[in-house]
Every structure is written in structure tokens, then in C-alpha cells.
């Protein structure tokens, strides 16, 4: 699974104001890599991750996912790629309060139409990976924010995606919880998944194999 961006730019237009979030980004990420995208707030990190995750289209330039030009793929096919090949982890866990931990983790598998017996097995494996198998029947409100974010990680990896995209996943966590979550993300990468993470924390970025520094929508290093 190869990620290739060639001269990708992203322009947001609203009313009389236009904002260029990305400027002629050329970038390649190989299968199994762990890449951190670093930079200050407003640098374009989230926009870059959303394009890589097929959540947004470039205004100009070319994006290829696994050899396919995403701009030429239908929206339905892009949705299928996101469901089957990509796991997403954001700053906010966004768990459903009245579903148990296990039910929250199971949601992506239901959308994919995976049979219930297989779903149960995959959910158990995912919760085991984040050390929360004993919290499967708890509601999110009974968990700490660090535990909730680990549930969100389990939900992101439950379908065994080829690519995991994490946008500031430790932004709401204390230092200890953030480090524990990052160690789990490292293990996800070591299991074979490509990982692209956005973070403004230099220490956490150093845990990746490669760091891409963004400033004003441009790659600086």
C-alpha cells in the first residue's frame, strides 16, 4: 500500500476569503512506514491527513492511494476504501455514550457487514491490544479520558486496516496517558500497518521513523 502525493495544494474558499492550507506538497509514504507530521497550529497537518485518508480532495495536484488516482475514484469507492483499508483516530474519542465499549468498537465492522461471530472475535482482539478487555461491558462515561482514547484506538484498528491515520490523538491526554497511547500506536505499526500521525509534540513525533515538518502548508524538512 503506497501513498503518493504530487504537487498537492488545497484551497478553502468562503465568501470573500480564500485560505491556502497546503502548497504543492510532494510526498511518498511506503507500506509499513510510521510517519509523523509535525508543525504549529494552522500549518496544514489536519488537511494533509484528511487528503491522505480520502476524506477530502486536493484543489490541484495528484494523490495516489495504492497506485490508484483518488480523484478518478467514485465517492462510493472512496467510502469503501475508508471502511476497509483505513482506520481513523482523532483528538476527541467521539464514543457513543449509551453503547458499551465493545459495541463502540464493533461499529466499523457492522458497517462493513461482517458476520456477528467474526465481529465478536475481532472486537476481543482489538480490546486486548489496548489492554481494555476487562472494560468491554462498561459505558464510556465510566472510563477515564485516557481509557476512552484507547477505546477509540481499538475502534480504529478493529478491522485490521492497512493504514491508520491519527490526528493529534494525544492532544487531550496527560503526559503519561499520551505516552502509553503512543506506545500502542507504535505496536500497531509493528504489526504491519502504515501509520501517519499529526502532532505538535516534538517528543511524540520522535517516536516515528520519519518526521515531516509543515509550516504554512509547505514541507520544510
Amino acid at each position: 500500500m503506497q501513498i503518493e502525493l504530487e504537487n498537492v495544494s488545497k484551497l478553502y474558499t468562503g465568501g470573500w476569503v480564500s485560505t491556502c492550507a497546503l502548497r504543492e506538497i510532494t510526498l511518498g509514504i511506503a507500506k509499513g512506514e510510521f510517519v509523523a507530521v509535525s508543525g504549529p497550529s494552522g500549518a496544514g497537518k489536519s488537511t494533509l491527513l484528511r487528503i491522505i485518508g480520502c476524506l477530502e480532495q486536493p484543489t490541484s495536484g495528484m494523490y495516489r492511494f495504492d497506485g490508484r488516482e483518488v480523484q478518478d475514484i467514485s465517492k462510493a469507492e472512496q467510502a469503501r476504501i475508508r471502511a476497509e483499508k483505513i482506520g481513523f483516530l482523532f483528538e476527541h474519542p467521539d464514543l457513543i455514550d449509551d453503547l458499551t465499549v465493545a459495541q463502540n468498537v464493533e461499529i466499523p465492522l457492522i458497517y462493513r457487514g461482517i458476520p456477528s461471530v467474526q465481529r465478536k472475535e475481532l472486537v476481543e482482539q482489538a480490546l486486548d491490544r489496548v489492554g481494555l478487555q476487562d472494560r468491554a461491558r462498561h459505558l464510556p462515561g465510566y472510563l477515564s479520558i485516557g481509557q476512552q482514547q484507547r477505546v477509540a484506538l481499538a475502534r480504529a484498528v478493529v478491522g485490521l486496516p492497512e493504514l491508520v491515520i491519527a490526528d493529534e490523538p494525544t492532544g487531550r491526554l496527560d503526559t503519561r496517558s499520551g505516552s502509553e497511547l503512543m506506545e500502542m500506536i507504535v505496536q500497531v505499526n509493528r504489526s504491519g500497518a502504515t501509520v501517519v500521525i499529526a502532532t505538535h509534540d516534538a517528543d511524540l513525533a520522535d517516536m516515528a521513523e520519519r518526521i515531516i515538518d509543515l509550516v504554512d502548508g509547505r514541507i520544510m524538512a
Side-chain angles (χ1 to χ4, degrees):
M1 192 278 299
Q2 181 81 20
I3 292 169
E4 301 170 277
L5 293 87
E6 296 180 5
N7 298 318
V8 164
S9 295
K10 181 65 178 181
L11 183 69
Y12 293 105
T13 302
W16 298 98
V17 179
S18 294
T19 302
C20 190
L22 296 177
R23 305 170 187 269
E24 299 182 343
I25 298 291
T26 295
L27 172 66
I29 299 174
K31 179 179 180 180
E33 266 201 282
F34 186 1
V35 175
V37 181
S38 184
S41 177
K45 301 188 300 295
S46 293
T47 300
L48 178 58
L49 264 62
R50 289 180 65 82
I51 289 175
I52 291 174
C54 301
L55 292 170
E56 292 193 25
Q57 298 288 318
T59 304
S60 62
M62 186 68 65
Y63 174 41
R64 297 186 184 91
F65 183 93
D66 205 13
R68 303 177 66 185
E69 296 182 3
V70 174
Q71 295 94 320
D72 295 336
I73 301 174
S74 68
K75 290 184 178 180
E77 179 66 6
Q78 288 182 43
R80 188 192 66 79
I81 289 172
R82 290 193 300 269
E84 296 183 2
K85 295 181 178 291
I86 307 175
F88 295 94
L89 179 64
F90 299 103
E91 182 174 358
H92 295 271
D94 290 327
L95 303 177
I96 299 175
D97 292 338
D98 57 356
L99 296 183
T100 67
V101 164
Q103 289 170 333
N104 269 280
V105 174
E106 186 182 23
I107 289 172
L109 305 179
I110 294 174
Y111 285 140
R112 287 173 56 181
I114 294 176
S116 60
V117 174
Q118 187 180 358
R119 292 202 307 264
K120 184 175 183 294
E121 181 179 348
L122 288 170
V123 169
E124 290 175 352
Q125 291 174 358
L127 288 175
D128 184 61
R129 292 177 76 174
V130 300
L132 289 176
Q133 59 272 41
D134 60 337
R135 298 289 192 271
R137 297 186 178 182
H138 286 60
L139 294 175
Y142 291 93
L143 304 181
S144 68
I145 184 61
Q147 289 173 325
Q148 289 180 30
Q149 194 67 329
R150 283 154 61 187
V151 174
L153 175 59
R155 183 181 58 196
V157 303
V158 68
L160 306 178
E162 297 178 30
L163 170 65
V164 174
I165 291 177
D167 191 357
E168 297 285 1
T170 64
R172 301 177 67 217
L173 306 183
D174 59 35
T175 301
R176 178 178 176 181
S177 296
S179 296
E180 290 175 348
L181 185 74
M182 278 296 296
E183 289 291 350
M184 293 175 186
I185 294 173
V186 169
Q187 292 303 317
V188 168
N189 172 248
R190 288 176 179 170
S191 71
T194 304
V195 174
V196 183
I197 181 172
T199 180
H200 63 272
D201 189 317
D203 290 336
L204 296 181
D206 283 339
M207 298 177 72
E209 296 172 336
R210 178 159 59 113
I211 300 175
I212 297 166
D213 289 320
L214 278 185
V215 177
D216 294 332
R218 298 185 185 274
I219 293 179
M220 305 303 294

